[in-house]
Amino acid sequence: MKKLVCKNCGHKETLENINLSISTKILIVKIPRIRAKDGLHIYPLYCLKCNYITEWASDPYNYSGKAIGGVEYFKKFKINNKYKNYFQYTKNNLVNRGYTKSEYIKFSLAWFLILSGILAFFQS
């Protein structure tokens, strides 16, 4: 399982970005509900782009027969007060996160190119 997808708007993010990045647009919390028939732990995924919740479960061996890329997706719905409370701390804590290593490299290269362009402009 490498990426999670919002089933409303289709936004995808890697687990590295979701758990570690300041610039993530998808949040997850460890508040599962358990499906009785097979014991699958179902978690909420909150998309900050569209304000929808998508329920998902890790199913790497596709026991359910409905998993896509090791993840089974369930219903999606507009965020309600119950889920707002679950995600409030995680959403507020985004400011305290840093960038992942790949984001740090990407943003460093972008700033280098911008500054090089400005310097070249003023030297000519």
Side-chain angles (χ1 to χ4, degrees), residues 41-88:
H41 289 69
I42 301 171
Y43 298 93
L45 172 151
Y46 176 36
C47 180
L48 297 172
K49 291 181 91 171
C50 65
N51 284 326
Y52 265 74
I53 299 289
T54 301
E55 292 187 330
W56 66 281
S58 176
D59 190 4
Y61 301 110
N62 197 15
Y63 291 126
S64 66
K66 300 176 186 174
I68 300 168
V71 179
E72 182 177 348
Y73 293 99
F74 301 95
K75 62 184 177 180
K76 66 176 180 179
F77 52 90
K78 190 82 170 158
I79 191 165
N80 56 30
N81 285 334
K82 173 186 170 184
Y83 285 99
K84 277 184 184 176
N85 291 333
Y86 288 159
F87 286 99
Q88 191 61 43

